[in-house]
Amino acid sequence: KLAAEAKKTAAAIDFYQFALKGARQEQAIALYNELGDYLMEVSNYAEAAKVFRKAASDPALSAGRPNYLFRLSQAHELSGNTKSALEAVAEARKILPDVSLLHYQEGWVHYHAQNWDKAVRVFEQVMAKYPQETAIVRRCQFSLSNIYVQQGNIRKGEQILEKVLEANPDDPSVNN
């Protein structure tokens, strides 16, 4: 932690990897999370992907595998590796096929990669499949609105936000 706080990335990686060698399960979970969080924070996404892949592959941590795969998808996408990000999401969705956040994450990867048509399709699927998941639906709506604006269809983007505003007139994120 001290190496990470001092922004000594190479030393932090070395220390965390050393600590992981003899770590018990609960310690390993904390160490993988701390190291992965730190690497994401310092925008070292490729190295974070290695950490999350290692954690996802550790049989002792199989209960957390979907979470590590989710985080792996973020790290891969932020490092510009969309194909691997989508593979990680697909792997997580095989384990937990009915988790709305994992379905949304597939759309987010396409969104971040500016694969607009694929992102729109996935976000619409998520909203149709999980209408009761208001937080996920809201994320989809904001993302869809932005996609339409990016594509030059400002009116369609506004219409989505107007529906959200109508349902939640006091929500600060909608008002912004």
Side-chain angles (χ1 to χ4, degrees):
K1 281 187 172 182
L2 289 173
E5 288 175 19
K7 303 292 187 221
K8 303 287 186 186
T9 300
I13 292 169
D14 289 344
F15 287 131
Y16 274 106
Q17 288 178 346
F18 179 76
L20 280 163
K21 287 181 184 174
R24 294 186 318 270
Q25 181 180 359
E26 57 277 355
Q27 292 171 321
I29 291 168
L31 292 168
Y32 279 121
N33 286 333
E34 286 177 20
L35 179 55
D37 288 345
Y38 166 70
L39 293 168
M40 293 293 283
E41 181 183 314
V42 297
S43 303
N44 192 339
Y45 305 121
E47 199 63 40
K50 290 178 189 175
V51 169
F52 294 134
R53 172 49 73 194
K54 188 172 180 183
S57 300
D58 187 332
L61 306 179
S62 62
R65 184 173 169 75
N67 179 55
Y68 287 120
L69 291 168
F70 172 84
R71 299 187 71 198
L72 176 62
S73 73
Q74 291 174 318
H76 274 315
E77 179 54 32
L78 292 171
S79 70
N81 191 345
T82 300
K83 181 177 183 268
S84 293
L86 290 169
E87 289 169 356
V89 171
E91 202 175 331
R93 288 189 65 203
K94 283 181 187 173
I95 299 166
L96 297 172
D98 294 321
V99 172
S100 61
L101 180 61
L102 293 175
H103 198 169
Y104 166 83
Q105 183 68 4
E106 179 185 346
W108 177 85
V109 170
H110 287 298
Y111 171 85
H112 186 269
Q114 298 182 2
N115 297 329
W116 304 130
D117 293 338
K118 290 178 182 178
V120 167
R121 181 180 42 80
V122 173
F123 289 142
E124 288 176 348
Q125 288 172 352
V126 171
M127 291 189 313
K129 187 172 181 176
Y130 305 102
Q132 74 286 358
E133 303 260 356
T134 54
I136 294 294
V137 168
R138 177 73 53 80
R139 286 183 182 190
C140 291
Q141 290 169 316
F142 284 137
S143 298
L144 283 170
S145 174
N146 190 46
I147 289 169
Y148 292 128
V149 169
Q150 293 296 320
Q151 291 178 322
N153 193 343
I154 294 171
R155 183 63 197 135
K156 193 167 185 176
E158 286 175 341
Q159 288 172 334
I160 291 171
L161 293 180
E162 287 168 355
K163 281 184 183 179
V164 175
L165 182 61
E166 185 177 304
N168 301 288
D170 296 326
D171 185 323
S173 60
V174 178
N175 282 297
N176 283 338

